[in-house]
């Protein structure tokens, strides 16, 4: 009898996931209209950054200008030390440094997930009744997949990206990019990631692909940091890596900017999956809701979700009210508590 109830619950969940995977169906006209709107918004953003750049970056570049010689001299020493070994220098910047950023941030989160300490951090858990503590067997399975994806799949992608960027130019050139150019590149990378991740992510939610590839990632309805790259290898390449590497490849970026971007992207996706809405860090409520409900909140920033109305249910929830930068030490699940159901 218990087994039958388990099968019924499993069947109901898979039916829900299948419905969530297909989501609402847009007609060709509606979809094209949304694409045009997205192009207008993103294009306007680029023009705004270009116009506002002279003012904004002038103030920011005062720091860069003051320490520019220091950073350039440091890079020159590194460049001379690796002279004739550009591949090693590229690997150092795009694999080793981002690895330290990813595992450094996740080591701290894993300690909290496994031990439940310090308690002042667990107060900020988004799904209070989940991962308290995390299931050790489930965690071991995730770690094996994450290590394979990070070392083997991402390592192979680093080689491919190196040859693509070397074919275009010299990604390890002797001159560092100017600060304002690096800033503009980072903005462009973020826009490209939003576009490529949103559409590739929705593609993997198609019923014919979801059950074979993306369902693995959604085994974690309450995600933790390392789950950010817990995925089928094909999904890891198409939906995790390509949206991040496409910007540096298309723009022919310097390895210093590429390294910075990879670190930002890895730490950002770790925060989105961490399960804790911590003070003074970006809100993870958006993507946490995606893991909880499957058919909402597909993008990174929510721009394309708003345009395609794939955040309509999210915007009616308490999670949406909490989707903001926490600037105090009071957990948002306390200041904005869930609505009590009748009879409770």
């Amino acid at each position: 009898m218990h087994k039958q109830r388990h099968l019924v619950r499993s069947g109901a969940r898979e039916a829900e996931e299948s419905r969530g995977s297909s989501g609402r169906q847009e007609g060709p006209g509606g979809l094209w209209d949304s694409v045009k709107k997205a192009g207008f918004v993103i294009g306007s953003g680029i023009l705004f950054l270009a116009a506002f750049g002279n003012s904004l970056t002038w103030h920011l570049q005062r720091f860069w200008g003051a320490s520019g010689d220091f950073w350039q001299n440091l890079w020159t020493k590194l460049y001379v030390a690796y002279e004739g070994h550009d591949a090693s220098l590229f690997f150092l910047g795009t694999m080793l440094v981002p690895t330290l950023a990813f595992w450094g941030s996740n080591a701290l989160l894993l300690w909290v997930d496994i031990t439940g300490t310090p308690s002042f951090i667990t107060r900020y858990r988004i799904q209070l009744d989940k991962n308290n503590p995390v299931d050790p067997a489930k965690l071991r399975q995730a770690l094996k997949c994450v290590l394979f994806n990070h070392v083997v799949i991402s390592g192979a992608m680093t080689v491919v990206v190196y040859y693509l960027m070397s074919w275009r130019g010299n990604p390890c050139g002797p001159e560092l990019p100017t600060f304002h150019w690096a800033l503009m590149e980072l903005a462009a990378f973020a826009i490209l990631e939003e576009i490529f991740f949103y559409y590739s992510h929705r593609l993997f939610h198609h019923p014919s692909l979801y059950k074979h590839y993306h369902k693995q990632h959604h085994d974690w309805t309450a995600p933790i940091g390392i789950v950010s790259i817990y995925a089928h290898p094909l999904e890891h390449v198409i939906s995790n890596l390509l949206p991040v590497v496409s910007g540096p490849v298309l723009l022919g970026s310097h390895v210093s900017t590429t390294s910075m971007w990879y670190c930002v992207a890895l730490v950002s996706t770790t925060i989105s999956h961490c399960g804790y809405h911590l003070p003074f860090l970006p809100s993870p409520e958006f993507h946490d809701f995606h893991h909880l409900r499957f058919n909402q909140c597909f993008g990174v920033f929510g721009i394309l979700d708003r345009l395609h109305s794939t955040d309509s249910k999210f915007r009616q929830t308490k999670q949406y009210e909490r989707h903001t930068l926490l600037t105090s030490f009071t957990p948002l699940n306390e200041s904005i508590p869930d609505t009590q159901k009748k009879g409770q």
Side-chain angles (χ1 to χ4, degrees):
M1 182 65 70
H2 175 75
K3 185 176 181 181
Q4 288 177 334
R5 288 198 300 268
H6 175 73
L7 290 173
V8 169
R9 285 196 299 268
S10 298
R13 179 184 170 187
E14 290 190 4
E16 179 186 351
E17 291 175 5
S18 178
R19 289 193 301 270
S21 300
S22 45
R24 58 177 289 176
Q25 301 295 320
E26 299 105 344
L31 181 60
W32 174 240
D33 184 58
S34 294
V35 171
K36 288 191 292 184
K37 289 178 181 177
F40 174 78
V41 171
I42 293 168
S44 298
I46 294 172
L47 290 174
F48 174 79
L49 284 173
F52 191 62
N54 287 337
S55 175
L56 175 65
T57 59
W58 181 83
H59 293 284
L60 295 175
Q61 202 172 7
R62 292 179 65 183
F63 166 78
W64 185 272
S67 58
D69 290 341
F70 168 78
W71 292 112
Q72 181 60 57
N73 290 338
L74 189 65
W75 171 253
T76 300
K77 291 178 182 178
L78 193 62
Y79 178 80
V80 170
Y82 281 86
E83 191 170 8
H85 301 280
D86 284 2
S88 298
L89 187 55
F90 187 84
F91 183 85
L92 175 70
T94 60
M95 191 65 187
L96 181 59
V97 174
T99 294
L100 294 174
F102 178 76
W103 288 104
S105 56
N106 273 286
L108 298 173
L109 291 168
L110 279 171
W111 175 264
V112 180
D113 293 329
I114 294 169
T115 67
T117 58
S119 59
F120 75 83
I121 290 182
T122 60
R123 293 176 61 226
Y124 298 98
R125 185 178 282 118
I126 296 172
Q127 298 186 45
L128 295 173
D129 58 334
K130 303 291 179 64
N131 298 326
N132 191 24
V134 68
D135 182 350
K138 193 175 182 181
L139 177 60
R140 284 194 296 271
Q141 180 190 18
L143 281 169
K144 290 177 184 177
C145 175
V146 168
L147 284 168
F148 177 80
N149 281 343
H150 188 72
V151 176
V152 179
I153 307 300
S154 298
M157 178 63 79
T158 299
V159 175
V160 172
V161 169
Y162 171 71
Y163 282 107
L164 284 173
M165 296 182 74
S166 297
W167 175 66
R168 287 204 56 189
N170 182 10
C172 302
E175 297 292 329
L176 287 176
T178 61
F179 181 79
H180 67 272
W181 177 250
L183 183 67
M184 293 296 291
E185 282 192 312
L186 290 173
F189 297 163
I191 293 169
L192 288 170
E193 184 193 23
E194 170 73 4
I195 297 169
F196 293 146
F197 180 75
Y198 179 87
Y199 291 112
S200 65
H201 190 187
R202 284 200 70 180
L203 176 66
F204 276 105
H205 270 264
H206 189 278
S208 62
L209 296 176
Y210 179 85
K211 61 182 178 180
H212 296 296
Y213 302 106
H214 193 50
K215 190 178 188 302
Q216 175 182 338
H217 186 68
H218 278 283
D219 285 344
W220 291 77
T221 54
I224 61 174
I226 61 160
V227 171
S228 56
I229 59 172
Y230 173 67
H232 187 282
L234 181 65
E235 183 194 353
H236 184 55
V237 170
I238 294 175
S239 200
N240 290 344
L241 297 179
L242 286 181
V244 174
V245 306
S246 59
V249 170
L250 290 173
L251 272 65
S253 303
H254 192 273
V255 67
S256 59
T257 312
T258 304
S259 179
M260 187 188 307
W261 166 240
Y262 285 6
C263 290
V264 168
L266 283 169
V267 172
S268 175
T269 191
T270 293
I271 293 172
S272 294
H273 287 85
C274 75
Y276 302 98
H277 194 149
L278 298 168
F280 309 108
L281 288 180
S283 168
E285 300 280 353
F286 186 79
H287 195 72
D288 195 272
F289 189 81
H290 173 74
H291 276 260
L292 185 64
R293 296 296 176 87
F294 303 102
N295 62 345
Q296 291 279 294
C297 309
F298 294 94
V300 179
F301 301 109
I303 299 171
L304 293 176
D305 282 284
R306 180 61 64 91
L307 293 173
H308 289 299
S309 297
T310 48
D311 65 347
S312 56
K313 294 178 182 177
F314 173 66
R315 285 187 278 120
Q316 299 170 12
T317 65
K318 289 290 184 179
Q319 288 92 329
Y320 177 69
E321 292 181 39
R322 299 177 191 131
H323 186 44
T324 184
L325 181 68
L326 177 57
T327 56
S328 74
F329 293 101
T330 302
L332 283 169
N333 54 40
E334 293 180 8
S335 58
I336 309 176
D338 290 330
T339 302
Q340 291 293 319
K341 295 180 181 179
K342 291 183 178 179
Q344 288 187 344

